[in-house]
């Protein structure tokens, strides 16, 4: 292609910049939509699968396996039936797997509170860059991005979100001491705060502490016998765990029924995993799922939806091509005199055609650049706008 | 074989589906000769220009320009030859609106294999200066007067240093004063370059400035 043609094309497109811009934008949209959806879904799938493949087995109450997996791996809030701590104990007693309890039912300033045991940090490779993981009741460790976003550090306090402000039967907000800030991992662990599993039961309202009933004012005592003292609900429970009151936290009832959201199981071998899974699923009360398989099923649904969008994109692309054909047909008619001039001067027929081709190519190149720019921007901003998983 | 620059011999041309037919027994133009072509509207003046330029080819007969028989060339060769060796000026100026005056002058080099060198640019500037539009080269045609645009068109016809200039009523749309200036400039440049000139005109007052005048009423045999 002659350089002169590129020059003429450029001058013509520049003179008619509005038309050029509209066409380039139309094509950029046509290119961008499938590319962006592919990029997003690809990255979404990659990140989901990476996390899922790192987590061999998840046990929880029978119900929606997608909700169970999304809650226990990606900390999505879901209204899941709890699994009792006794089930986690039973799995632990069977051996052959590392068992990690999880409670994912509470938030602090909108951030999910993940209650778990100390083995979780070792298994996920989470290390505190400042302070320590939550070692004591009432301690909280912040995920890297949460610490950055909330501007909090070790020694400061974080209040849990009260489940219901106007229901005094619900536990009050708990003031938690920030014991550490975890290092960034690029995983959902950066977007949550961690507490000890027993702290979750305080948040549930199951575990609590209050003034020694032997020392409370008589006005709070509803009844007294040799075995027990019944106090009024008006006696406010402690809303902070301190060195002075930590020993007084307790729960009433059967410890084995304390609720968990899920139990992560990391079996020693494939065989151990298979046995564990079979035993849990045989209970009919609980289920044990392989997160990688669940995510594969989830992505197959996403891809079916994407196929629908691809069809809509086809319609959009067809409309754009038709519009371009119309624009070029009108352009050919409007520029008939100009093309006749070029032919009369002695310009070859190929050159006249080439002029249209170079203009179209230039528009496509411009739209491709716009698309690449937009994709680059989306790719760069996406993790900053919202977390994928 | 004649040593004429242009030679038409027993040429017959008919527009497809049209009633007009042009029969031309013989016509010659010598190198450097300035020839006016007159005749009433519809007598075939533009057709004659198109035949000599190789824009159209006759049904029968021979058209030789610069020793090449155009009727034996294919379309591509005739176009390549035209852009290189023939300068064309039309009544309708046919400047490209999205190019500056300078780019319009250089158009033959943009759309052909002719190399656009520094010497060519220098020549274009020189022609523009000689035509009095040297200071207007950056302007698009829309910001030029009719006379200035015609000067740009003349520069475009001359910038390739053609051996033959074909001008089809180049002053037809101009007022008499501007037309006179344009003609002066055209003649000056033609004489300087030594090119042959065939100019179609309706203006009998300027015929004395040409070496020869062809009157198509007497030269052609018209058939209805």
């Amino acid at each position: 292609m002659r350089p002169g043609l590129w020059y003429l094309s450029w001058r013509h497109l520049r003179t008619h910049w509005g038309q050029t811009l509209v066409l380039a934008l139309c094509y950029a949209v046509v290119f961008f939509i499938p590319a962006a959806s592919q990029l997003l879904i690809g990255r979404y799938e990659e990140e989901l699968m990476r996390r899922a493949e790192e987590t061999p087995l998840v046990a929880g109450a029978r119900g929606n396996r997608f909700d169970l997996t999304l809650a226990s791996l990606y900390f999505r809030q879901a209204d899941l039936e709890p699994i009792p701590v006794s089930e986690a104990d039973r799995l632990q007693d069977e051996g052959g797997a590392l068992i990690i309890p999880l409670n994912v039912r509470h938030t602090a300033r909108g951030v999910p509170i993940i209650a778990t045991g100390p083995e979780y940090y070792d298994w996920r490779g989470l290390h505190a860059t400042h302070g320590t993981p939550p070692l004591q009741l009432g301690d909280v460790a912040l995920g890297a991005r949460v610490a950055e976003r909330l501007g909090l550090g070790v020694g400061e306090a974080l209040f849990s979100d009260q489940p219901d402000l106007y229901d005094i039967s619900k536990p009050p907000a708990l003031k938690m001491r920030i014991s550490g800030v975890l290092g960034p991992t690029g995983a959902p662990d950066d977007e949550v705060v961690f507490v000890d599993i027993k702290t979750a039961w305080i948040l549930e309202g199951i575990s609590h502490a209050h003034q020694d009933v032997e020392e409370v004012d008589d006005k709070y005592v509803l009844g007294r016998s040799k075995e027990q003292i019944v106090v009024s609900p008006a006696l406010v429970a402690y809303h902070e765990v301190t060195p002075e009151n930590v020993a007084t936290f307790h729960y009433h009832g059967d410890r084995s029924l304390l609720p968990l959201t899920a139990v992560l199981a990391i079996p020693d071998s494939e065989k151990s995993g298979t046995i564990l899974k079979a035993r849990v699923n045989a209970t009919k009360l609980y289920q044990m799922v392989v997160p990688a398989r669940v995510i594969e099923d989830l992505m197959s649904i996403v891809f079916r939806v994407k196929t629908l969008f691809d069809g809509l994109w086809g319609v959009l692309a067809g409309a754009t091509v038709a519009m371009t054909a119309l624009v070029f047909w009108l352009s050919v008619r409007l520029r008939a005199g100009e093309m006749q001039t070029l032919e009369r001067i002695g310009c070859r027929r190929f050159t006249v055609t080439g002029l249209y081709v170079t203009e179209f190519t230039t528009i496509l190149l411009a739209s491709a650049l716009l698309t690449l720019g937009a994709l680059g921007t989306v790719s760069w901003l996406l993790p900053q706008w919202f977390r994928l998983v | 074989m004649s040593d004429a620059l242009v030679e038409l011999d027993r040429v017959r041309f008919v527009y497809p589906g049209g009633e007009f037919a042009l029969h031309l027994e013989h016509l010659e133009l010598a190198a450097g000769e300035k020839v006016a072509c007159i005749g009433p509207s519809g007598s075939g003046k533009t057709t004659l220009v198109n035949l000599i330029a190789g824009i159209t080819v006759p049904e029968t007969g021979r058209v030789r320009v610069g020793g090449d028989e155009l009727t034996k060339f294919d379309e591509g060769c005739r176009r390549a030859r035209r852009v290189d060796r023939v300068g064309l000026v039309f009544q309708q100026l046919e400047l490209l609106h999205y190019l500056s005056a300078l780019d319009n002058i250089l158009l033959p080099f943009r759309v052909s294999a002719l190399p656009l060198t520094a010497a060519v640019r220098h020549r274009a500037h020189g022609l523009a200066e000689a035509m009095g539009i040297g200071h207007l080269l950056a302007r698009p045609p829309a910001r030029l007067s009719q006379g200035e645009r015609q000067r740009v068109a003349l520069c475009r016809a001359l910038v390739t240093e053609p051996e033959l200039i074909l001008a089809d009523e180049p002053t037809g749309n101009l007022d008499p004063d501007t037309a006179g200036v344009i003609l002066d400039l055209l003649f000056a440049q033609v004489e300087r370059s030594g090119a042959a000139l065939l100019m179609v005109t309706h203006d009998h007052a300027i015929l004395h400035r040409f070496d020869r005048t062809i009157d198509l009423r007497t030269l052609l045999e018209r058939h209805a």
Side-chain angles (χ1 to χ4, degrees):
Chain A
M1 203 67 79
R2 298 181 202 292
L5 281 189
W6 287 105
Y7 180 78
L8 292 185
S9 299
W10 163 241
R11 293 305 301 254
H12 184 262
L13 293 175
R14 205 180 73 163
T15 303
H16 302 93
W17 62 268
Q19 174 190 316
T20 306
L21 187 65
V22 168
L23 281 174
L25 283 174
C26 285
Y27 272 96
V29 168
V30 168
F31 295 149
F32 176 77
I33 287 174
S37 68
Q38 193 60 45
L39 176 80
L40 280 174
I41 291 175
R43 283 184 57 175
Y44 199 75
E45 184 186 21
E46 187 186 322
E47 292 193 22
L48 279 174
M49 283 308 291
R50 191 191 308 137
R51 183 87 166 171
E53 283 168 354
E54 285 170 3
T55 315
L57 293 167
V58 173
R62 286 229 170 239
N64 191 314
R65 62 198 174 109
F66 296 121
D67 282 347
L68 174 64
T69 306
L70 291 174
S72 52
L73 269 66
Y74 313 106
F75 311 132
R76 297 284 184 223
Q77 299 285 315
D79 191 17
L80 293 171
E81 281 295 313
I83 179 172
V85 75
S86 59
E87 190 61 19
D89 292 341
R90 190 175 68 83
L91 294 174
Q92 189 71 65
D93 293 343
E94 284 184 15
L98 171 65
I99 301 298
I100 303 173
L102 274 183
N103 184 304
V104 191
R105 288 161 54 87
H106 304 279
T107 57
R109 291 175 66 176
V111 175
I113 297 173
I114 310 305
T116 186
E119 57 275 25
Y120 182 86
Y121 309 102
D122 292 337
W123 173 63
R124 286 278 190 216
L126 297 173
H127 302 288
T129 51
H130 298 93
T132 64
L135 301 175
Q136 294 180 34
L137 200 64
D139 280 359
V140 62
L142 309 183
R145 287 188 61 174
V146 173
E148 189 184 316
R149 197 163 63 242
L150 300 183
L152 295 173
V154 176
E156 293 182 276
L158 178 68
F159 281 89
S160 67
D161 295 332
Q162 198 166 339
D164 192 335
L165 280 172
Y166 305 105
D167 185 349
I168 58 168
S169 69
K170 293 282 167 41
L174 181 68
K175 184 180 180 184
M176 299 177 287
R177 189 187 72 86
I178 298 171
S179 66
V181 174
L182 303 177
T185 59
D189 301 306
D190 294 347
E191 302 283 350
V192 295
V193 297
F194 291 92
V195 296
D196 182 73
I197 192 74
K198 292 186 183 72
T199 306
W201 296 326
I202 302 176
L203 297 170
E204 296 272 359
I206 300 168
S207 175
H208 63 263
H210 44 73
Q211 195 178 357
D212 188 347
V213 291
E214 300 287 356
E215 297 171 5
V216 298
D217 195 317
D218 283 345
K219 69 180 179 185
Y220 293 117
V221 178
L222 299 179
R224 197 185 292 265
S225 67
K226 283 184 182 174
E227 289 80 29
Q228 62 179 10
I229 297 170
V230 181
V231 296
S232 162
L235 181 66
V236 178
Y238 296 140
H239 58 81
E240 182 181 3
V241 182
T242 62
E244 291 75 33
N245 69 17
V246 66
T248 64
F249 275 84
H250 59 278
Y251 32 78
H252 304 277
D254 187 356
R255 182 200 174 274
S256 66
L257 296 177
L258 291 172
L260 298 174
T261 304
V263 176
L264 305 180
I266 300 95
D268 302 338
S269 64
E270 196 172 330
K271 185 181 171 186
S272 301
T274 306
I275 293 169
L276 207 59
K277 192 173 162 217
R279 282 189 180 158
V280 171
N281 288 336
T283 62
K284 304 291 182 192
L285 286 173
Y286 311 112
Q287 62 175 332
M288 184 167 265
V289 297
V290 180
R293 299 292 84 74
V294 175
I295 297 301
E296 276 175 8
D297 291 347
L298 185 65
M299 290 313 296
S300 71
I301 295 169
V302 171
F303 281 116
R304 277 205 291 277
V305 175
K306 183 178 177 289
T307 307
L308 176 71
F309 277 101
D310 286 347
L312 292 175
W313 172 81
V315 174
L316 175 70
T320 306
V321 169
M323 186 197 71
T324 308
L326 177 68
V327 167
F328 271 86
W329 178 67
L330 291 172
S331 179
V332 167
R333 293 191 65 168
L334 280 171
R335 297 173 71 184
E338 176 192 334
M339 296 306 156
Q340 193 185 25
T341 301
L342 292 177
E343 294 200 3
R344 289 176 75 173
I345 286 173
C347 177
R348 282 175 183 263
R349 207 179 293 276
F350 166 76
T351 309
V352 174
T353 312
L355 195 57
Y356 286 114
V357 172
T358 47
E359 284 186 16
F360 187 60
T361 309
T362 307
I363 289 170
L364 285 182
L365 284 173
S367 56
L369 284 175
L370 282 172
T371 305
L372 285 174
L375 283 176
T377 307
V378 165
S379 185
W380 178 60
L381 287 177
L382 204 62
Q384 297 177 44
W385 284 343
F386 64 94
R387 63 177 237 243
L388 284 172
V389 293
Chain B
M1 188 180 289
S2 162
D3 59 352
L5 177 68
V6 178
E7 185 181 359
L8 285 79
D9 199 27
R10 287 190 291 279
V11 165
R12 180 177 186 277
F13 178 82
V14 182
Y15 281 106
E19 294 181 347
F20 175 79
L22 183 145
H23 294 269
L24 187 63
E25 195 58 33
H26 190 77
L27 176 67
E28 281 187 8
L29 260 81
E33 191 177 20
K34 294 188 286 294
V35 177
C37 180
I38 60 170
S41 295
S43 60
K45 300 184 295 295
T46 299
T47 305
L48 178 64
V49 167
N50 286 346
L51 285 168
I52 295 171
I55 293 169
T56 52
V57 285
E59 279 187 356
T60 58
R62 215 160 44 108
V63 180
R64 284 168 55 84
V65 179
D68 299 326
E69 192 165 330
L70 297 187
T71 41
K72 288 184 178 175
F73 286 2
D74 64 13
E75 171 86 17
C77 289
R78 288 201 310 276
R79 287 176 184 235
R81 195 188 178 289
R82 185 158 73 243
V83 74
D84 187 20
R85 298 169 67 176
V86 180
L88 283 156
V89 190
F90 313 104
Q91 183 179 10
Q92 299 300 326
L93 305 172
E94 301 184 357
L95 301 179
L96 303 194
H97 70 280
Y98 54 87
L99 296 180
S100 66
L102 178 62
D103 283 331
N104 265 294
I105 294 171
L106 295 172
L107 189 61
F109 295 90
R110 300 271 190 210
V111 296
S112 72
L114 298 177
L116 181 53
T117 60
V120 170
R121 288 180 183 278
H122 184 72
R123 192 191 312 149
H125 279 275
L127 277 169
E129 288 293 340
M131 295 276 186
I133 54 168
H135 61 295
L136 303 172
L137 288 177
R139 289 192 189 176
R143 289 182 57 209
L144 298 174
S145 70
Q146 191 74 2
E148 288 163 345
R149 286 184 220 170
Q150 191 58 282
R151 294 177 207 209
V152 173
L154 283 179
C155 289
R156 186 176 70 189
L158 292 163
V159 75
T160 55
E161 297 185 319
E163 61 191 2
L164 172 64
I165 295 168
L166 300 171
D168 190 356
E169 298 185 60
T171 56
N173 283 345
L174 302 178
D175 63 82
D177 291 343
T178 309
V181 173
I182 294 293
L183 275 179
D184 290 343
L185 290 168
L186 176 61
F187 273 77
Q189 290 301 322
V190 165
E191 277 167 14
R192 190 173 298 160
S193 66
L197 170 69
L198 174 68
M199 185 169 129
V200 172
T201 183
H202 284 289
D203 187 358
H204 288 232
I206 62 168
L207 296 182
H208 67 279
R209 302 182 67 169
F210 292 88
D211 300 327
R212 185 154 61 96
T213 299
I214 299 169
D215 187 346
L216 285 186
R217 278 176 302 193
T218 58
L219 193 64
L220 301 178
E221 180 186 346
R222 285 188 63 204
H223 296 268

